[in-house]
């Protein structure tokens, strides 16, 4: 039986999962593709850890660059980061090796350069595991939906943030309490910044946007806001208005321009994305012919992510070595990225105000002066920072106008702390 040799650089959680899957399911893979997939080498600084996985010593390297001298058909990069990982991938491409990676940060930052090098060298660079863990959302966009114009993407694509918001929603705890539990369970890193500030989701939606809308989208093109400012009160009030709060990654064409954004979003309680809880991920993709499609599953972890990596390895072994469309490298006019100030959305606004007559009318007048129409309003008789919360939802309005109005309102002496703003997506 023909052999297909795989080199793995980085044997942490995901790398270890890939090794286990290739060894444990070797017969299943052979039967399905008619080839024997062999591990040519594993490179990791912790050699003893690799040995415990059952890899022979002669196939173990403590240096990824040295390992690349060994013959293989595909190099799997799983060390993460945007420096050494990039050098490893470029070196592998230079040697004429196909590459598989789960490195969303690197692809969002340097994808254009890496894919161009791969195309020039005639090799494939695959990245299914970079978005959604074990959910085959990349494959869906590149194959299953290839006949459609993509209209919009809504993704809950960070399990850590989704777990925290689920805890806050179901148990009424604050952000710090939910974060601490997520860390204790291993769902959040000691430094959770990438997850809770939205940057991890921004990397992922940049990749999905590039595949969907025919232009390179980088992280700096994505409007990003995290979930730290969300309070149990906001979640409670969202429910009163008929919404749930999710960290939503959004990519859609509006008025001929591309909006790409990640931020806490209120979505209708009855929508299917509202029921995506815990560490699960989901991605809703709408095509012009197929309509709405939904992809759901575990978005991270050793086994789901390893499954996606091995799917790419198998694709290459079967000869499916397609790459990103050549049109992405052309100089033709591309879809313009919309500036955040030009977003049009409904908004949830929470003011913390002195409890006295006329405050609600004063706030409403300023919003009216800026052409912002109020949909619903309420005032809660509870103490928040020495004042009471005055909460409103608006009809669709330009983000710029809303921010200008809030800046003016926050200057009033009856407003005790900066106004909290959350966009609403009616889906």
């Amino acid at each position: 039986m023909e052999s297909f040799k795989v080199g793995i650089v980085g044997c942490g959680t995901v790398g270890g999962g890939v090794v286990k899957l290739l060894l444990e399911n070797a017969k299943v893979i052979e039967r399905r593709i008619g080839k024997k997939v062999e591990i040519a080498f594993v490179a990791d600084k912790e050699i003893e850890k690799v040995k415990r996985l059952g890899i022979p010593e002669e196939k173990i390297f403590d240096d990824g660059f040295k390992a690349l001298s060994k013959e293989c058909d595909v190099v799997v990069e799983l060390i993460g980061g945007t420096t050494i990982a990039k050098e490893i991938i470029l070196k592998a491409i230079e040697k004429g090796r196909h590459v598989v990676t789960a490195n969303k940060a690197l692809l969002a930052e340097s994808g254009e350069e890496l894919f161009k090098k791969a195309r020039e060298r005639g090799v494939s660079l695959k990245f299914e595991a970079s978005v959604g863990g074990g959910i085959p959302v990349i494959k869906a966009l590149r194959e299953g939906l290839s006949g459609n114009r993509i209209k919009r993407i809504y993704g809950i694509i960070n399990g850590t943030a989704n777990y925290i918001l689920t805890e806050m929603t179901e148990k009424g705890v604050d952000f710090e309490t939910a974060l601490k539990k997520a860390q204790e369970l291993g769902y959040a890193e000691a430094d959770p910044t990438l997850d809770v500030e939205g940057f991890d989701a921004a990397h992922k939606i940049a990749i999905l946007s590039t595949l969907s809308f025919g232009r390179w989208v980088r992280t700096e093109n994505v409007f990003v806001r995290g979930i730290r400012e969300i309070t149990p009160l906001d979640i409670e009030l969202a429910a009163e208005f008929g919404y749930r709060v999710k960290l939503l990654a959004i990519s859609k064409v509006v008025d001929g321009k591309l909006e790409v954004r990640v931020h806490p979003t209120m979505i209708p309680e009855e929508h299917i994305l509202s029921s995506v809880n815990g560490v699960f991920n989901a991605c809703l993709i709408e095509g012009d012919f197929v309509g709405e499609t939904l992809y759901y599953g575990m978005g991270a972890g050793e086994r789901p992510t390893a499954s996606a990596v091995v799917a790419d390895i198998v694709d290459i072994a079967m000869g499916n070595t397609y790459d990103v469309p050549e049109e992405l490298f052309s100089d033709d006019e591309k879809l313009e990225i919309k500036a955040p100030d030009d977003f049009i959305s409904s908004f949830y606004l929470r003011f913390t105000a002195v409890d006295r007559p006329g405050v609600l009318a004063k706030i409403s007048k300023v919003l009216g002066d800026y052409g912002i129409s109020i949909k619903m309003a309420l005032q809660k008789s509870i103490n928040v920072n020495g004042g009471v919360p005055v909460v409103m939802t608006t009809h669709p309005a330009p983000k710029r106008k809303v921010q200008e109005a809030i800046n003016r309102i926050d200057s009033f002496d009856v407003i005790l702390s900066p106004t909290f703003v959350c966009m609403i997506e009616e889906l």
Side-chain angles (χ1 to χ4, degrees), residues 15-221:
V18 171
V19 170
K20 292 174 189 175
L21 196 161
L22 290 175
L23 294 177
E24 292 176 19
N25 288 359
K27 293 297 183 183
V28 174
I29 296 169
E30 287 175 22
R31 187 169 65 247
R32 288 177 177 167
I33 70 173
K35 291 182 181 180
K36 183 179 178 63
V37 177
E38 298 181 4
I39 296 176
F41 63 81
V42 178
D44 194 278
K45 292 186 181 298
E46 297 184 40
I47 290 177
E48 292 303 317
K49 176 179 65 178
V50 181
K51 286 181 182 178
R52 289 194 294 271
L53 292 172
I55 301 298
E57 192 168 347
E58 66 272 14
K59 292 186 176 183
I60 302 174
F61 292 77
D62 64 359
D63 184 302
F65 293 100
K66 291 179 183 176
L68 291 179
S69 63
K70 198 170 178 67
E71 284 301 315
C72 67
D73 297 293
V74 60
V75 173
V76 180
E77 180 277 307
L78 295 171
I79 58 177
T82 57
T83 53
I84 296 174
K86 181 178 179 180
E87 294 174 27
I88 289 285
I89 290 175
L90 288 172
K91 189 69 173 178
I93 290 171
E94 180 187 316
K95 286 179 169 288
R97 314 275 173 76
H98 298 296
V99 175
V100 171
T101 182
N103 197 330
K104 64 261 183 183
L106 179 58
L107 293 176
E109 181 178 298
S110 302
E112 185 171 4
E113 176 189 354
L114 295 174
F115 284 111
K116 190 169 186 178
K117 293 288 186 184
R119 178 173 287 277
E120 290 171 352
R121 193 66 179 81
V123 298
S124 185
L125 172 55
K126 287 183 175 287
F127 50 101
E128 181 65 63
S130 65
V131 180
I135 307 170
V137 64
I138 302 293
K139 201 171 190 66
L141 277 172
R142 298 181 71 168
E143 297 181 26
L145 302 179
S146 57
N148 285 255
R149 291 181 185 274
I150 303 302
K151 297 175 69 175
R152 58 180 185 160
I153 301 170
Y154 294 116
I156 296 172
I157 48 180
N158 183 271
T160 300
N162 200 45
Y163 176 84
I164 290 170
L165 290 174
T166 300
E167 283 289 295
M168 294 176 69
T169 300
E170 295 182 351
K171 299 180 181 177
V173 298
D174 63 16
F175 171 82
E176 292 298 337
T177 301
L179 171 60
K180 184 179 179 182
K181 185 172 180 182
Q183 290 171 324
E184 290 171 352
L185 293 172
Y187 297 150
E189 302 288 344
D191 179 0
T193 302
L194 280 176
D195 296 316
V196 302
E197 297 298 345
F199 298 114
D200 174 79
H203 295 148
K204 295 170 182 175
I205 197 64
I207 293 168
L208 295 181
S209 300
T210 294
L211 292 176
S212 300
F213 298 109
R215 61 153 294 158
W216 290 103
V217 178
R218 301 174 184 83
T219 310
E220 60 261 32
N221 300 131

